[in-house]
Amino acid sequence: MRDYSIKNRQEGLTEQELTILRVDPFPEDKGDNDITVFRDVFVNRRTSARCAICRGWICKGQRVRKRVEKFDGMVKSFLICPICCATAYRFATEDSTEAEDAWFDRYELGIMRAN
Ligand SMILES: [Zn+2]
């Protein structure tokens, strides 16, 4: 069973950000394994980093989704860039194949960039 009992600091988040947090960014990876989400919030990034989905660069100062989870006994932290977040928002709010394709294209881009 997945554990989604997340203690988030959600004050100050926009409606759009709260909607994005409802999209599971890694539905495929986990299968039936137990995961615990410790934190799933939006933060202003202080240093550059890579997006966990599209592998693109996140610049200092950008507002990004930060998710911390425990999976297979390991605690990992993921950042998701503004473009992937905007695409996730569209995926969550628009009932269209275009929105769905756009969301899955972000993962494809990440696979391409990783190789
Ligand atoms: Zn991204």
Side-chain angles (χ1 to χ4, degrees), residues 50-58 79-85 87 103 106-107 109-110 113:
R50 293 213 103 134
C51 173
I53 292 178
C54 74
R55 306 294 303 152
W57 281 104
I58 290 165
L79 297 169
I80 302 173
C81 79
I83 300 169
C84 287
C85 285
T87 313
W103 176 232
R106 301 307 297 170
Y107 293 92
L109 188 58
R113 283 173 172 162

Side-chain angles (χ1 to χ4, degrees), residues 95-114:
D95 188 18
S96 73
T97 23
E98 287 81 16
E100 202 175 297
D101 287 350
W103 176 232
F104 293 114
D105 283 351
R106 301 307 297 170
Y107 293 92
E108 289 294 317
L109 188 58
I111 291 163
M112 276 179 3
R113 283 173 172 162

